[in-house]
Amino acid sequence: MTSVDALSSGPLFGLPLPDLWFALLFFIFGTFLFLDGFDFGVGALFATREDEEIREQFLAAIGPFWDGNEVWLVVFGGVMFAAFPAVYANLFSRHYLLMFAILGGLILRGLAPEMYEQRHDERWQRWWGRSFVAGSVATPFLLGMFTANWLLGATALVTPAGLLAGLTVVALTVVDGVAFLRLKTRGDLRADLRADGHRALVAYLVLVVVTLAALYALAPDLRAAMRSPAVLGLVAATLLLAAGYAVATHRDRYYAAFVAAAGLVFALVAVIAVLLYPSVDPATGLTVEAAIVPTLSLNLMSIGAALLLPLVFAYFAVLYSAFSGPIEAGESY
Amino acid sequence: MVDPVTASRLQFALTTIVHIVFPVVSMGLAPFLVYFTWKDIRTGKPIYEQLRRFWTRIFAVSFVVGTVTGIVLEFEFGTNFAAFATTAGPLFGGPLAVEGMMAFMLEATFLGVFVYGRERVGDALYMVSAVAVGLGTWLSAVWILIANSWMQTPRGFEMVVENGHRVVHLTDPVAAYLNPRFFWMFVHMQNAAVESVALAICGLSAYFVFRHHVWDRPVEHAEFWETTLKIGLVALLITAPLQVIHGDMYARHVYETQPQKFAAMEAVWETDSYVPEYIVAVPTSVENLVDPRAKEIFGIGIPGGASWLASGGNPQATIRGLEEFEGPQPPVAIVFWAFRMMVALGFWFVLLAFWGGYRWYRGELLEDDLLHKALMASAPLGVFAVEVGWIVTEVGRQPWIIQGVMKTSAGVSPGLTGAEATATLVGFAGLYLGLLALYGYVVTRIVRAGPPDGADLRATDRTESSTGATADD
């Protein structure tokens, strides 16, 4: 029992584990929003292309990846449950209908590409193509609504800030999706996508500014935090990253644009985390310190995460390197 | 409108019942896929490539539907059972988080390589990806069952009042996470998954063998289906007897640790020794079917049989009756009948395995039309046995969400309204039944299309699909 006593007596190595888990939670959320974000963006762009060959390329681009990307959402849910169970319970039950709407969107988005490939007749593919678009647009929109409601401690299903945040996240996933598709395509399609990227970027910047302004106006409690150096720094970083994305896209620096898109996603998620902290759930007033699980559970999870997360990154490295570069013929099972 | 407690319970039951089909297929197919991949790489024979690609298609579709239905389950702990999540979270959330990081990540990422990567990666990495996918499916079961077994036989914790809520604090991780029930659950579930898939494989291939050999109809890929039948039969011969053996030990463990559930399984109301094992038991009236306090039962039983099973050989052993337990009881009729169906099916599968094995030994496997029909009829029964087995496990634990610690009714989200819960119940009932129908339709199409022909094994890869299409139109 001595090892259990040691693990129960205090945080491992005296680390600020509650804050680290808060940071990890948002890091996982950001990773999900970046990785599955480009899948959503590809789904939204799917609506803008009628040509069957191009549509097949869009689906092939995300084929090997989307499942792994979506697991980050499962891990996000699991980590919130494991580290902040009271927040997980309060937040998810409070946004009951929104959560089920998100799940419905994810089901449509997840099924559609697999089903689309099962039959090659027009009606079937039109139906699943629409499902793919609907699921890919609705899910990030609803996630944006959920995040804004979380941040504001709102209990209503639909709030003005929620709607704005939803549109912002949709625009961000399109920026992300373009960056990804430009890695995976060639020729005219790749060139055409440049314009989509610029348009989506402008839309995102306008929406993110409007959303932040709306938050400033609607939530007096957040004003001081919004003027903090951390948030101002992240806004400045967003502008720099957007400029980097635009230049990289213009110059066909595909990987640089992709990295800039990742930066934009993580900057937005970081703004949310900074605005929340030290609270994890403004509606109930639960702070990180109050909501974190007891020491023994926390220490065990920390050991688990320290061992497993590097492995997870190794899996993703294998997957993304196996399928690096533009899509080629011969990727079937 | 349904009240939030009932609606949440129905919704969780429904989503679980539908979801479990897909993990069973994934876990059960995994060892077959590893074997086919290994043989494909080692021998280069087209038959193994056909086997690998055919079953990979079914695996991939099952995995997708399993993923989308499974995420809902994880979130339902927060949406519908928030009081349970708050109370049990500090102990129960950990295994779910680790399941995501350790198992689901492994499975989902390497599935990308396995499904799309045959032309992209070398043989060694391809083999690694097959093993990783299989290991991921099995590790998922480990962590989910660690969490579930703790709900059945909770230990290694203390109850503390925190912010006005009763909260579980972990005190002994080994006792909590490696509690003895976990072992029996895992062995029984894992073996059940492989057995279920073996039955489905046998049934499916028996259909084509039957058409070919008995009806003498033209069947494409006759040899493919004959080989498949034999592989399925080998797996069934291994798994079916094991399932009965550890099923018996598992039931004994339930008797020792969850006497209320055991009493419900056997429908024993009054504490007694020398309790018969009922093969059939019929309540004397329809009301008694749903009244857990009903005693009058007409039945055919083996004298002392239940006592003998509970104690591992002593027909005089005492079984505590349901009347000894205060408060509400599990719905006895459901648990009793589900348990009987599971046990009967378990023995039927053993018989089927030996019958097939004997015919094969005699060289009559391809001609025995009665065997083929029995295998075809039994194809979905493995999954059905898993369903009723889980009903015994989960319904038999009621009224407890955590056995002896927290009632299910106390675990439901406090703020949830009947309208919300009913809306999602109806919506997701429709959606999940639609998903099952869609899955059945797609799998049927894959089977109709059959395995890829030797000639197009290479050709289709190059021309037809840059997309991962299954290319059957």
Side-chain angles (χ1 to χ4, degrees):
Chain A
M1 286 303 286
T2 47
S3 60
V4 170
D5 290 341
L7 284 170
S8 311
S9 59
L12 281 177
F13 312 118
L15 288 167
L17 287 180
D19 290 345
L20 284 174
W21 276 92
F22 179 78
L24 182 63
L25 183 69
F26 280 90
F27 172 73
I28 290 168
F29 189 56
T31 308
F32 162 71
L33 201 58
F34 168 55
L35 293 177
D36 220 19
F38 67 64
D39 302 325
F40 295 134
V42 171
L45 288 159
F46 193 84
T48 65
R49 299 295 197 278
E50 292 295 326
D51 185 82
E52 188 50 35
E53 205 175 305
I54 292 174
R55 291 186 150 205
E56 295 276 344
Q57 284 186 52
F58 280 17
L59 292 176
I62 62 166
F65 303 113
W66 77 263
D67 245 324
N69 296 342
E70 194 164 297
V71 179
W72 287 96
L73 183 67
V74 178
V75 173
F76 170 75
V79 161
M80 193 194 263
F81 195 0
F84 304 103
V87 176
Y88 172 84
N90 279 310
L91 192 62
F92 284 19
S93 60
R94 197 164 61 238
H95 296 121
Y96 186 81
L97 294 176
L98 196 48
M99 296 315 298
F100 276 94
I102 291 171
L103 292 169
L106 280 170
I107 288 174
L108 268 191
R109 198 289 310 259
L111 283 177
E114 185 70 30
M115 291 303 150
Y116 191 91
E117 299 296 349
Q118 293 293 334
R119 270 177 65 172
H120 289 177
D121 65 87
E122 203 188 320
R123 263 189 68 205
W124 177 268
Q125 294 205 325
R126 201 178 333 123
W127 166 254
W128 285 111
R130 282 180 191 154
S131 305
F132 182 46
V133 174
S136 300
V137 175
T139 310
F141 179 77
L142 295 165
L143 275 168
M145 277 177 73
F146 166 75
T147 312
N149 286 355
W150 178 9
L151 179 61
L152 292 171
T155 47
L157 181 65
V158 181
T159 59
L163 293 175
L164 278 171
L167 291 174
T168 308
V169 175
V170 171
L172 182 57
T173 60
V174 178
V175 172
D176 194 4
V178 169
F180 176 72
L181 279 177
R182 281 174 55 83
L183 288 175
K184 305 303 290 181
T185 53
R186 285 189 170 128
D188 289 346
L189 178 57
R190 188 184 240 181
D192 286 350
L193 282 162
R194 188 188 291 175
D196 296 286
H198 288 318
R199 278 198 292 269
L201 184 68
V202 171
Y204 172 66
L205 287 176
V206 170
L207 281 164
V208 84
V209 169
V210 173
T211 307
L212 288 175
L215 283 180
Y216 197 84
L218 292 167
D221 296 350
L222 290 178
R223 279 182 198 158
M226 289 184 80
R227 286 195 301 261
S228 69
V231 171
L232 293 176
L234 286 165
V235 172
T238 297
L239 295 175
L240 279 174
L241 285 161
Y245 180 90
V247 171
T249 304
H250 189 68
R251 291 190 187 162
D252 287 342
R253 302 279 295 273
Y254 311 112
Y255 283 96
F258 192 57
V259 171
L264 286 172
V265 174
F266 280 102
L268 183 68
V269 171
V271 168
I272 295 156
V274 171
L275 290 179
L276 269 177
Y277 188 84
S279 172
V280 246
D281 187 14
T284 54
L286 278 169
T287 61
V288 172
E289 284 296 333
I292 197 76
V293 284
T295 312
L296 177 59
S297 295
L298 186 63
N299 283 341
L300 284 174
M301 272 164 36
S302 304
I303 295 169
L307 294 174
L308 290 172
L309 284 174
L311 269 177
V312 168
F313 286 111
Y315 308 155
F316 273 77
V318 171
L319 178 67
Y320 280 79
S321 64
F323 295 95
S324 63
I327 314 145
E328 283 163 27
E331 281 158 33
S332 91
Y333 49 90
Chain B
M1 198 191 300
V2 189
D3 71 278
V5 174
T6 310
S8 295
R9 293 175 69 169
L10 284 175
Q11 181 175 297
F12 201 88
L14 178 89
T15 44
T16 318
I17 282 172
V18 174
H19 171 68
I20 190 80
V21 173
F22 309 104
V24 165
V25 174
S26 304
M27 287 187 288
L29 262 182
F32 290 95
L33 286 181
V34 169
Y35 174 73
F36 297 152
T37 305
W38 182 65
K39 292 291 277 188
D40 178 20
I41 289 172
R42 285 294 296 269
T43 68
K45 285 188 188 162
I47 180 97
Y48 291 110
E49 185 170 2
Q50 285 182 315
L51 282 165
R52 172 178 65 75
R53 294 191 8 163
F54 178 80
W55 290 104
T56 299
R57 281 178 197 172
I58 291 180
F59 187 94
V61 174
S62 311
F63 184 80
V64 166
V65 187
T67 303
V68 299
T69 54
I71 293 178
V72 177
L73 282 186
E74 186 197 36
F75 280 60
E76 275 175 339
F77 286 119
T79 52
N80 292 75
F81 292 95
F84 165 76
T86 306
T87 298
L91 189 149
F92 186 86
L96 295 197
V98 174
E99 191 259 346
M101 284 189 265
M102 182 190 270
F104 199 19
M105 282 287 188
L106 184 67
E107 187 182 359
T109 47
F110 280 96
L111 188 67
V113 180
F114 184 67
V115 169
Y116 294 91
R118 188 67 187 97
E119 310 284 319
R120 284 254 185 179
V121 302
D123 284 352
L125 181 54
Y126 194 70
M127 191 65 224
V128 166
S129 71
V131 173
V133 168
L135 192 65
T137 67
W138 285 41
L139 282 174
S140 270
V142 167
W143 289 100
I144 295 301
L145 294 177
I146 279 176
N148 189 288
S149 65
W150 180 80
M151 293 164 81
Q152 308 286 342
T153 50
R155 51 186 78 185
F157 68 99
E158 60 184 6
M159 294 299 284
V160 176
V161 175
E162 207 177 66
N163 304 324
H165 294 284
R166 287 169 76 225
V167 175
V168 165
H169 276 211
L170 178 67
T171 53
D172 183 347
V174 176
Y177 296 136
L178 293 178
N179 77 67
R181 174 59 59 79
F182 161 69
F183 174 77
W184 294 115
M185 276 190 141
F186 180 74
V187 170
H188 204 53
M189 180 66 204
Q190 205 56 68
N191 197 63
V194 181
E195 186 183 9
S196 301
V197 167
L199 281 158
I201 288 178
C202 284
L204 189 60
S205 46
Y207 170 74
F208 291 99
V209 171
F210 180 76
R211 274 180 72 98
H212 189 63
H213 288 275
V214 181
W215 277 1
D216 215 11
R217 297 273 173 83
V219 168
E220 278 184 275
H221 316 296
E223 195 197 340
F224 171 87
W225 292 115
E226 285 161 22
T227 309
T228 311
L229 178 59
K230 288 174 183 168
I231 291 168
L233 205 50
V234 169
L236 192 62
L237 272 163
I238 298 167
T239 50
L242 282 175
Q243 192 68 6
V244 171
I245 292 165
H246 49 63
D248 173 53
M249 297 175 180
Y250 182 0
R252 211 168 301 153
H253 191 257
V254 171
Y255 164 73
E256 284 161 13
T257 54
Q258 284 179 294
Q260 190 176 13
K261 182 193 283 183
F262 191 83
M265 281 155 61
E266 296 292 348
V268 176
W269 277 275
E270 287 174 347
T271 300
D272 205 353
S273 61
Y274 199 63
V275 180
E277 174 68 27
Y278 284 102
I279 308 297
V280 179
V282 183
T284 49
S285 71
V286 177
E287 295 88 75
N288 288 354
L289 208 64
V290 287
D291 175 9
R293 291 280 174 176
K295 287 173 214 164
E296 266 76 347
I297 279 191
F298 159 78
I300 306 164
I302 304 164
S307 293
W308 192 84
L309 286 174
S311 60
N314 174 18
Q316 299 296 337
T318 303
I319 294 179
R320 284 170 71 193
L322 287 161
E323 287 192 341
E324 274 200 34
F325 303 93
E326 284 300 311
Q329 301 285 358
V332 177
I334 296 176
V335 181
F336 177 86
W337 282 111
F339 182 62
R340 252 131 215 87
M341 282 188 240
M342 179 184 73
V343 171
L345 286 171
F347 281 109
W348 165 242
F349 300 152
V350 173
L351 191 70
L352 206 54
F354 288 158
W355 180 7
Y358 177 72
R359 289 299 193 189
W360 188 1
Y361 172 73
R362 294 281 302 264
E364 298 156 353
L365 181 62
L366 305 179
E367 282 77 38
D368 187 344
D369 60 329
L370 193 61
L371 173 68
H372 299 160
K373 285 177 190 163
L375 287 171
M376 282 183 254
S378 303
L381 292 183
V383 175
F384 182 76
V386 171
E387 296 278 8
V388 288
W390 272 106
I391 286 170
V392 173
T393 304
E394 301 296 280
V395 177
R397 182 187 37 160
Q398 303 305 324
W400 302 101
I401 193 166
I402 308 167
Q403 180 73 50
V405 176
M406 187 183 202
K407 294 262 171 68
T408 309
S409 53
V412 172
S413 307
L416 187 61
T417 66
E420 288 172 328
T422 308
T424 59
L425 170 64
V426 172
F428 272 69
L431 182 61
Y432 268 52
L433 296 179
L435 281 174
L436 263 188
L438 183 68
Y439 176 73
Y441 170 74
V442 168
V443 168
T444 309
R445 280 182 62 86
I446 294 173
V447 171
R448 285 240 178 89
D453 278 313
D456 32 82
L457 274 178
R458 268 138 210 91
T460 47
D461 275 349
R462 304 269 187 268
T463 55
E464 169 74 38
S465 57
S466 57
T467 60
T470 49
D472 52 330
D473 280 48

